[in-house]
Amino acid sequence: MTQPVIQALGENALILNTGASATLECQQRLWAIAAKAAHWPHVRDVVPGMNNLTILFDPLASDGLQLAEKLQAAWDSDSISQKTGRKVDIPVVYGGDSGPDLEEVARHTGLSPAEIVKRHTAAEYIVYFIGFQPGFPYLGGLDPKLATPRRSEPRLLVPAGSVGIGGSQTGIYPAASPGGWQLIGRSELQLFDPGASPPTLLQPGDRVRFVASEVIA
């Protein structure tokens, strides 16, 4: 695996960017580093991302160059997080008003809507990281034949719970927001609750399966 690039983000943050493709192994290495860095002195927060890791620290109590060296050493250790996470089933209504882009995904992939639902529910997905908005899971494990580019014109409002495909990934919108993913279904499951602990239903490393509660032709 290629060596990462470690850069400063202002005076109180560092980002480790792997430059690698989105793979489970890469994410597992980042999770292992995050688990270590969370216990380093004067580190305030650790945020795993897609192929990157951001560390926020106290610049008055910690030297950024030394912290960067620790990050590099942690990467060079080749540690892999072995956590398997929880298994979470997510009920989804596919097609119709809940999945207005199911037909578009069918046209792009050359598969029938029924085959798309079959393939989408057959896989077990891994939460690579949480981003874009609180509780939004970026999921690895999408069947390559379902990969579909994002919409050329994003929607101004995507309903909460919408299940979409964006390129080679699939994910779920926890809250209503603008978005450009192809929407194939919707779930009533609440992914983000600010009053809960933790507030996000899904965490990096969790395993997700989609369950078709209804398919609307």
Side-chain angles (χ1 to χ4, degrees):
M1 192 171 288
T2 59
Q3 284 295 309
V5 175
I6 301 174
Q7 297 174 304
L9 296 177
E11 297 181 349
N12 66 339
L14 293 171
I15 183 169
L16 181 152
N17 197 323
T18 69
S21 57
T23 65
L24 179 57
E25 180 185 357
C26 179
Q27 293 304 119
Q28 287 175 322
R29 291 183 72 171
L30 293 173
W31 299 339
I33 296 172
K36 293 179 182 178
H39 300 288
W40 291 348
H42 313 302
V43 169
R44 292 173 169 170
D45 198 8
V46 182
V47 185
M50 180 63 74
N51 307 326
N52 62 66
L53 179 73
T54 301
I55 291 184
L56 287 80
F57 60 93
D58 182 352
L60 299 179
S62 182
D63 183 274
L65 290 178
Q66 292 181 355
L67 195 56
E69 291 175 356
K70 290 183 72 171
L71 269 177
Q72 183 65 58
W75 176 265
D76 292 340
S77 71
D78 289 335
S79 296
I80 296 290
S81 172
Q82 298 299 328
K83 68 177 182 179
T84 57
R86 300 166 303 131
K87 182 176 179 180
V88 181
D89 289 341
I90 297 180
V92 178
V93 175
Y94 286 91
D97 291 339
S98 297
D101 297 325
L102 183 59
E103 292 289 345
E104 176 59 31
V105 175
R107 282 191 292 271
H108 176 80
T109 61
L111 302 172
S112 68
E115 182 65 17
I116 290 169
V117 173
K118 179 181 177 181
R119 288 174 180 265
H120 195 256
T121 55
E124 182 176 79
Y125 303 91
I126 303 293
V127 180
Y128 276 6
F129 76 107
I130 302 295
F132 169 56
Q133 59 176 254
F136 188 106
Y138 285 79
L139 305 175
L142 181 71
D143 185 327
K145 292 187 177 180
L146 297 184
T148 305
R150 292 169 172 80
R151 291 169 54 89
S152 58
E153 293 186 11
R155 288 183 170 88
L156 295 178
L157 184 64
V158 173
S162 293
V163 176
I165 292 175
S168 62
Q169 289 189 298
T170 188
I172 316 163
Y173 288 79
S177 73
W181 288 33
Q182 305 284 356
L183 306 182
I184 61 173
R186 192 182 308 162
S187 176
E188 296 296 327
L189 199 62
Q190 186 174 8
L191 271 69
F192 179 71
D193 179 0
S197 181
T200 57
L201 174 66
L202 301 174
Q203 300 293 323
D206 284 349
R207 297 169 294 152
V208 171
R209 292 197 72 123
F210 294 104
V211 179
S213 56
E214 185 180 359
V215 179
I216 302 174

